[in-house]
Amino acid sequence: MLVKTKAIVLSALKYKEKSLIVKCFTLSDGLKSYFVPSVYSGKKSNQKIAYFQPLTILEIEGNHKNKGSLEHFKEIKLATAYQTINTDIVKSTIVIFLSEILHHSIQEEEKNEDLFTFLETALIWLDTHEETSNFHLILLLEITKFLGFYPDTSEIDFHFFEMTDGIFSPFQGISCLSEHETFLFKKLMYLKFDSNQKIFAGIERQMLLKILMDYYSIHLDGFKKPKSLDVLKEVFS
């Protein structure tokens, strides 16, 4: 079945000498993996490889057999040509980190148009804004709305956040954040992408990043902390 859709690249794994296996989150079908032969051959190989950088937004025409095997591209082009993400070291580090997160977090092979639209909008925002220090933290928390474990805010005035049940508690149980950590976590919950980027100090961002990684680990089976996590910490230290 021939399908035209937008797709966000989550990962690209080299296969043998010249080919790639590319995992995409598509608007039409959710997760799809594609076999791309002979990427590393020919004069235009660099152009081809550029399509498959982390979180590139593509416009594709794909031959979807929907049999659980690798699919194939018929046509491919950029849906959005990034202006800064690929040249700004901070933004490119954020994107590599988030692509790993999404690779391990999105597991449903069915369409989720709301999540796709949110990610596309967020990535374009990242590309077109300079102050992005809290972007990855806000995105990680917002994605939990689509993955089904966004914190329950009905008792948000309580002083401790209980990580396992995702609720706020008046008592500090064994799986609760400290009062200070909970305070920071609440501040993050109220932020938008264009909020004041200086609301957190560097060490506070590190604390929040650890909290979010722990939260994902608790709520997603088989979640792996990204290899790029240490690089991200270094960039924001």
Side-chain angles (χ1 to χ4, degrees), residues 15 23 86 172 183 194:
Y15 180 75
K23 185 176 179 180
N86 297 325
Q172 187 173 13
F183 171 74
D194 56 359

Side-chain angles (χ1 to χ4, degrees), residues 163-176:
M163 297 274 277
T164 304
D165 293 330
I167 62 173
F168 290 90
S169 170
F171 310 107
Q172 187 173 13
I174 193 168
S175 56
C176 285

Side-chain angles (χ1 to χ4, degrees), residues 78-208:
L78 291 177
T80 299
Y82 291 142
Q83 302 301 309
T84 64
I85 282 177
N86 297 325
T87 55
D88 183 304
I89 185 64
V90 174
K91 291 183 181 181
S92 59
T93 302
I94 289 172
V95 160
I96 290 168
F97 168 75
L98 291 174
S99 69
E100 284 194 76
I101 292 285
L102 294 168
H103 176 77
H104 292 302
S105 301
I106 301 175
Q107 297 160 351
E108 299 299 322
E109 294 190 12
E110 56 188 43
K111 73 176 178 181
N112 187 332
E113 292 184 2
D114 290 341
L115 176 55
F116 187 96
T117 301
F118 170 72
L119 290 173
E120 180 183 31
T121 303
L123 289 166
I124 292 170
W125 188 94
L126 176 66
D127 188 52
T128 54
H129 289 76
E130 292 183 10
E131 296 296 326
T132 58
S133 301
N134 300 320
F135 177 86
H136 58 299
L137 301 174
I138 297 168
L139 190 81
L140 286 173
L141 186 57
E142 287 295 309
I143 287 171
T144 66
K145 292 178 179 177
F146 303 96
L147 299 179
F149 56 97
Y150 187 77
D152 181 344
T153 59
S154 58
E155 303 289 354
I156 198 168
D157 290 337
F158 289 149
H159 294 305
F160 303 99
F161 181 64
E162 205 284 322
M163 297 274 277
T164 304
D165 293 330
I167 62 173
F168 290 90
S169 170
F171 310 107
Q172 187 173 13
I174 193 168
S175 56
C176 285
L177 300 180
S178 70
E179 189 169 356
H180 178 59
E181 288 170 334
T182 301
F183 171 74
L184 292 177
F185 194 62
K186 286 181 186 180
K187 280 176 73 173
L188 177 61
M189 292 177 70
Y190 290 115
L191 288 191
K192 305 296 182 187
F193 288 135
D194 56 359
S195 298
N196 179 7
Q197 298 296 310
K198 296 178 181 176
I199 194 168
F200 298 122
I203 192 167
E204 291 175 331
R205 288 194 190 93
Q206 302 286 13
M207 290 172 66
L208 284 165

